[in-house]
């Protein structure tokens, strides 16, 4: 099989599994206990925290483990907004955020938090000037993702964070898609909170973390035994945390080997091949400021789903957009926010490359995809 859906999830790296396995077996201790079995688990959790912190280049004490990207986003938004000054309660999010942010914003809105949704341009970019016009001194938090899961567009996070800070607001970024693909360092991005997820970087599903800059107060959303410095109670999922830590260590090594450079060369071969072989195709997302492994298109006059089924018959796994919304009857909120007509959105296809993708994989897709689209178009016309 040729797997081209790395934005949905990635396979577990064998060395990640190897590090996790003892914690499903003989090393079953609870990290909060004082005897050596518990302390072995505690030390594994500490090592994992150091590895996540190394990838982000932040102090280890600023990392909180969560059950994934969704929980990290929820903790960031709810944790900041559940107790705010009456004159500074507004939340600003972009219109192309993942549902983990957008639905949380809508939940908070239903419970009295004023919410502003930022528009994007045709590339899916939030323009800093637009934020500058919409932000006021009533804003507590701005949340804009580092890179988009459907179209791969990388946001000008440093500039956006600067605008937020000028207005006295905090800045959160959902870096679930960017971490592991490109360098993500909160100090350079200038953000205050950042979410990441293990299963997008060859780690286990159900693992993730929220980085919170020291000095930012976060209200716990999970109360109980006081784990994770009282921010996120619950006995630690030690195997998942260990797996996340190892995945971050591997991601750090890959980034220093110019991983992004190799991946973007493959991506460009794929984009150029598709655009030249399939007429009436639109590249969605920014042409250059996009994730290195991310290619996404809309083919006019076809539906994405039959394209996916035909690709699957040929042994190629791809996606019509976000994995979370596939199968949904409503058109993608991301492509809609970018101003793409509903008819065109129907023909959306996302191909996302990963660390084991090859030129041969790309060329096989380029050999098959144009024929699939042409035959579906002729069926449609016939
Ligand atoms: N944020 C973004 C941008 C994502 O792409 C995803 C997953 O698709 C998430 C958040 C949710 O992460 P998780 O699956 O770890 O809950």
């Amino acid at each position: 099989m040729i797997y081209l859906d790395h934005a949905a999830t990635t396979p577990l790296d064998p060395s990640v599994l190897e590090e996790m396995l003892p914690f499903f077996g003989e090393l079953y201790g609870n990290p909060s206990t004082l005897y050596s079995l518990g302390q072995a688990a505690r030390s594994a959790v500490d090592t994992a925290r150091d590895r996540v912190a190394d990838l982000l280049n932040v102090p280890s004490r600023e990392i909180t483990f969560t059950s994934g990207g969704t929980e990290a986003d929820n903790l960031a938004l709810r944790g900041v907004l559940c107790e705010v000054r009456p004159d500074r309660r507004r939340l600003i999010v972009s219109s192309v955020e993942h549902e983990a942010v957008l639905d949380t914003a809508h939940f908070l809105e239903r419970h009295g938090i004023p919410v502003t949704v930022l528009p994007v341009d045709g590339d899916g970019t939030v323009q800093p000037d637009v934020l500058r016009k919409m932000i006021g001194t009533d804003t507590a938090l701005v949340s804009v993702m580092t890179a988009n899961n459907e179209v791969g567009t990388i946001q000008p996070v440093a500039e956006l964070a600067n605008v937020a800070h000028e207005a006295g607001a905090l800045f959160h970024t959902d870096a679930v898609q960017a971490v592991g693909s490109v360098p993500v360092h909160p100090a350079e991005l200038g953000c205050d909170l950042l979410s990441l997820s293990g299963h997008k970087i060859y780690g286990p599903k159900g693992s993730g973390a929220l980085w919170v800059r020291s000095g930012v107060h976060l209200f716990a959303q999970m109360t109980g035994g006081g784990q994770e410095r009282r921010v996120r109670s619950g006995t630690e999922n030690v195997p998942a945390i260990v797996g996340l830590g190892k995945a971050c260590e591997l991601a750090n090594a890959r980034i220093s080997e110019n991983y992004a450079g190799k991946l973007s060369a493959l991506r460009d071969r794929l984009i150029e091949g598709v655009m030249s072989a399939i007429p009436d195709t639109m590249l969605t997302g920014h042409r250059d400021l996009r994730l290195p492994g991310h290619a996404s298109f809309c083919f006019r006059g076809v539906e994405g789903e039959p394209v996916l089924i035909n690709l699957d018959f040929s042994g190629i796994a791809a996606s019509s957009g976000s994995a979370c919304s596939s199968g949904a009857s409503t058109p993608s909120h991301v492509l809609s926010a970018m101003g793409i007509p509903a008819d065109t959105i129907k023909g959306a296809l996302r191909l996302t490359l990963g660390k084991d993708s090859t030129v041969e994989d790309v060329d096989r897709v380029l050999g098959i995809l144009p024929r699939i689209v042409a035959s579906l178009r002729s069926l449609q016309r016939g």
Side-chain angles (χ1 to χ4, degrees):
M1 188 199 32
I2 297 177
Y3 184 72
L4 291 182
D5 203 12
H6 291 84
T9 197
T10 53
L12 197 69
D13 191 286
S15 62
V16 170
L17 178 63
E18 199 184 320
E19 291 222 4
M20 290 171 71
L21 281 175
F23 297 92
F24 286 113
E26 69 273 22
L27 295 179
Y28 56 84
N30 182 329
S32 298
T33 55
L34 291 179
Y35 40 83
S36 45
L37 189 65
Q39 287 309 296
R42 167 60 54 210
S43 127
V45 169
D46 290 346
T47 302
R49 203 183 307 279
D50 291 344
R51 287 169 165 175
V52 178
D54 277 353
L55 179 63
L56 301 180
N57 207 8
V58 296
S60 302
R61 66 175 184 283
E62 296 179 349
I63 301 293
T64 299
F65 290 117
T66 64
S67 64
T70 300
E71 190 192 333
D73 287 343
N74 269 266
L75 180 57
L77 270 57
R78 292 169 195 256
V80 168
L81 289 158
C82 86
E83 264 185 55
V84 274
R85 277 174 22 203
D87 58 337
R88 197 183 265 286
R89 307 166 63 229
R90 181 169 296 279
L91 167 64
I92 300 185
V93 298
S94 89
S95 50
V96 294
E97 294 303 302
H98 187 272
E99 287 81 354
V101 166
L102 268 184
D103 286 359
T104 305
H106 291 139
F107 173 90
L108 290 166
E109 192 172 32
R110 285 195 299 279
H111 289 80
I113 296 289
V115 172
T116 299
V117 179
L118 293 169
V120 293
D121 65 15
D123 294 329
T125 307
V126 179
Q127 292 299 341
D129 280 345
V130 172
L131 174 61
R132 192 168 283 113
K133 282 197 192 100
M134 296 179 88
I135 200 168
T137 51
D138 65 341
T139 305
L141 178 68
V142 177
S143 180
V144 178
M145 67 206 318
T146 319
N148 185 264
N149 45 309
E150 286 190 45
V151 296
T153 298
I154 296 176
Q155 299 293 349
V157 168
E159 290 167 66
L160 294 166
N162 199 26
V163 175
H165 291 155
E166 279 168 10
L170 294 172
F171 190 90
H172 164 252
T173 190
D174 171 344
V176 164
Q177 292 289 338
V179 163
S181 287
V182 289
V184 173
H185 297 140
E188 283 151 36
L189 295 175
C191 53
D192 303 294
L193 306 103
L194 180 145
S195 308
L196 61 89
S197 169
H199 75 106
K200 311 287 185 180
I201 56 167
Y202 306 92
K205 294 170 182 61
S207 69
L210 180 68
W211 166 78
V212 185
R213 182 173 58 71
S214 298
V216 171
H217 186 70
L218 205 61
F219 283 87
Q221 299 303 301
M222 195 85 87
T223 43
Q227 290 87 349
E228 296 296 285
R229 298 172 325 284
R230 308 202 70 79
V231 172
R232 201 270 189 179
S233 285
T235 301
E236 296 87 341
N237 183 350
V238 180
I241 289 172
V242 166
L244 173 66
K246 182 66 182 174
C248 286
E249 185 188 65
L250 296 174
N252 217 353
R254 268 199 309 279
I255 280 174
S256 50
E257 288 162 8
N258 189 25
Y259 174 61
K262 286 183 224 156
L263 211 54
S264 53
L266 268 190
R267 174 204 64 194
D268 290 346
R269 185 184 184 94
L270 180 58
I271 290 179
E272 277 144 33
V274 167
M275 296 302 288
S276 63
I278 308 181
D280 245 341
T281 297
M282 174 186 194
L283 176 72
T284 55
H286 199 286
R287 175 62 192 88
D288 306 310
L289 298 175
R290 65 186 301 138
L291 287 172
H294 202 295
S296 52
F297 312 92
C298 283
F299 304 117
R300 291 189 188 85
V302 283
E303 303 240 339
E305 211 142 294
V307 175
L308 289 185
I309 294 167
N310 278 278
L311 282 173
D312 191 26
F313 281 147
S314 309
I316 298 164
S319 153
S320 61
S322 122
C324 315
S325 63
S326 64
S329 52
T330 46
S332 146
H333 71 277
V334 173
L335 300 177
S336 302
M338 288 162 60
I340 301 175
D343 246 24
T344 308
I345 293 177
K346 282 188 194 155
L349 179 75
R350 178 182 76 180
L351 301 167
T352 44
L353 302 153
K355 70 181 173 64
D356 298 320
S357 301
T358 61
V359 174
E360 289 73 30
D361 293 345
V362 168
D363 289 350
R364 180 150 167 75
V365 173
L366 293 176
I368 290 171
L369 186 58
R371 278 188 275 135
I372 293 177
V373 174
S375 77
L376 288 170
R377 277 178 176 159
S378 67
L379 276 179
Q380 197 105 338
R381 279 195 296 268

